[in-house]
Structure formats: C-alpha cells, structure tokens
Amino acid sequence: TRYAPTPSGFLHAGNIANLERTAEVARAVSATIALRIDDADASRYRRVYVDDIFRVLGELGLTWDLGPRDTDEFEARYSQRAKTEYYRGELHAATLLTYACRCSRTMQRGIPTGGCSGGCRTAQHPWTPGDTSLRVVVPEATTIAVSGTPVRLDVELGDFVVWRRDNLPAYQWVSVVEDRDLGTTHIVRGADLLPSTAAQIFLARGLGALNVIEAEYFHHELVCDDQGRKRSKSTLGGQERT
C-alpha cells in the first residue's frame, strides 16, 4: 500500500485520518508501505508543504518501507514533476479512446456525460498544449464495481480529463500509472473518492494494470468540521497547519 499525500497545502485532520487508516490496513495485511508524494501538479507545488508531510509523519510515528526519507531526497529522486514525458509516453501506449477538448472549466457546466459541452468528442481537434486538454471517452452506462458498489462512471465523472490544457498529466492518470509501477494491492481513500477509484480502474483497463484493477479498496468516513463540512485544503486555503 502507500501513503499518497499531495503537497498543495499543509496537511489537515482528514489527511491524518487517511495516513493512520492506511497504516492500520498495512498492519492488518502485513503490507509494505511506500511513501508516494503526488506533486505532478507543478503549479501548486511548494517545498514547505513537503517539509510538512515529513513533519506530520514523524509526529504521528508513522513509518514506511519505500520512498524518500526527507525533502531533499524527494526532490532529487522521487518527484513526479520530473516524469511528465514518462506519463505522456504511457498515455500514448495505452488502449484508451481519447479526444482533444477546447472547453474551459467555465464552459463545461456540469458533468460531461456523453461528451463535453462544446462537442469536442466528435470535432477531431488537434491535441495542442496550451490550447486543448485530453479527455477519455466514457461510454454511456459505463459501470465500475468498487468493493461491491456499482459506480456509474459516465454519470459521476463523464468524459474526464487525463491530460491538462497546461501540458501536465491529470491526477487520475498519474495515480494509476504510479500504482501500477509500485505494484499497489491495497488502496485507502476517503469515501468521497469512490468515483475517482472507479475512474482509475477504468484507466487501468486501458493500461493493462491488473494490480490496480484487482486491488483491495478501502473508503473511510470523512473528517468534518463543526458545520459538517469535509476538512480539505480548499476549505483551509492551504494556510493552516495541523
């Protein structure tokens, strides 16, 4: 299994719950733990956030078997920001039906079920960094079983983005490639990420990542504030420490 924090803000109570639950699952099944810091989104990366990840893991007394031991080693040997061309090559090699999309986030209102708002699925736009993103085609009625729960991927996420307009790989693509390469067999996430799990299983089929398809998935309850809102970096503005 793996700890997979994202250095886009300081870790909060929800992140800590996930780290601790991952450690519990690893102990229960005698799994090796890797530390995988998901920094592929270069625009949001800050070194101080990686420092915070190591600080929190140390204060919690959580250990791992594979991966960087400090921020310097992470930046030198493990950063996903240095692997953009690798992710691009894996996408070219995958058996997935994709299309270039010119729609911005404001143009795409709602879930792109059946294709994006601008009709890019059939427009045959060229895939051009800075001008188009790349979406994967999710056919109508696509249903992915996640730990026995059926997820209608075409309804939950629709034709989701696998390569961003700013020429960076999308999180869903990076995650499935990294889990394939790590040989991950047990994945722990918050309950709100059930659609993401379905998306990654869908992508794994096109990548031939059998371990991701057959992995054991655990979706734990979310940590909420006094108003019942999920604790997240967006609600904290990336400025609050645990």
Side-chain angles (χ1 to χ4, degrees), residues 83-240:
K83 299 172 67 175
T84 299
E85 292 310 310
Y86 172 66
Y87 299 130
R88 192 194 310 273
E90 293 301 293
L91 186 55
H92 280 304
T95 56
L96 293 165
L97 186 59
T98 60
Y99 61 92
C101 176
R102 290 179 175 172
C103 298
S104 65
R105 288 187 179 182
T106 54
M107 290 173 61
Q108 178 56 51
R109 297 177 179 177
I111 304 300
T113 299
C116 64
S117 297
C120 299
R121 187 194 262 196
T122 58
Q124 298 184 327
H125 298 309
W127 180 19
T128 307
D131 181 52
T132 57
S133 60
L134 198 68
R135 293 184 183 272
V136 64
V137 173
V138 179
E140 183 181 357
T142 296
T143 302
I144 307 292
V146 181
S147 301
T149 300
V151 178
R152 276 287 302 273
L153 189 59
D154 61 316
V155 173
E156 292 288 342
L157 294 182
D159 290 357
F160 59 93
V161 171
V162 290
W163 203 271
R164 295 167 23 167
R165 183 190 297 265
D166 58 1
N167 201 28
L168 290 174
Y171 166 76
Q172 305 289 14
W173 183 246
V174 171
S175 188
V176 72
V177 171
E178 290 292 331
D179 276 328
R180 181 204 60 182
D181 291 353
L182 279 172
T184 307
T185 58
H186 293 72
I187 298 175
V188 182
R189 293 191 172 117
D192 59 326
L193 295 179
L194 196 68
S196 286
T197 296
Q200 291 176 27
I201 292 173
F202 180 81
L203 294 176
R205 293 173 178 175
L207 194 61
L210 191 62
N211 66 295
V212 178
I213 298 168
E214 298 182 348
E216 294 285 338
Y217 291 94
F218 304 85
H219 292 85
H220 57 78
E221 294 183 358
L222 303 180
V223 176
C224 300
D225 61 18
D226 294 339
Q227 285 73 47
R229 297 174 301 182
K230 180 188 74 171
R231 295 299 297 267
S232 68
K233 291 169 184 170
S234 61
T235 58
L236 297 177
Q239 301 301 315
E240 182 177 320

Side-chain angles (χ1 to χ4, degrees), residues 49-113:
Y49 297 149
V50 180
D51 290 338
D52 187 61
I53 290 169
F54 286 105
R55 177 189 67 83
V56 170
L57 287 169
E59 290 180 355
L60 294 174
L62 297 179
T63 60
W64 59 97
D65 307 289
L66 304 171
R69 294 295 149 182
D70 55 34
T71 303
D72 287 338
E73 186 179 12
F74 166 71
E75 291 189 336
R77 297 181 54 201
Y78 292 92
S79 175
Q80 295 172 355
R81 290 172 294 143
K83 299 172 67 175
T84 299
E85 292 310 310
Y86 172 66
Y87 299 130
R88 192 194 310 273
E90 293 301 293
L91 186 55
H92 280 304
T95 56
L96 293 165
L97 186 59
T98 60
Y99 61 92
C101 176
R102 290 179 175 172
C103 298
S104 65
R105 288 187 179 182
T106 54
M107 290 173 61
Q108 178 56 51
R109 297 177 179 177
I111 304 300
T113 299

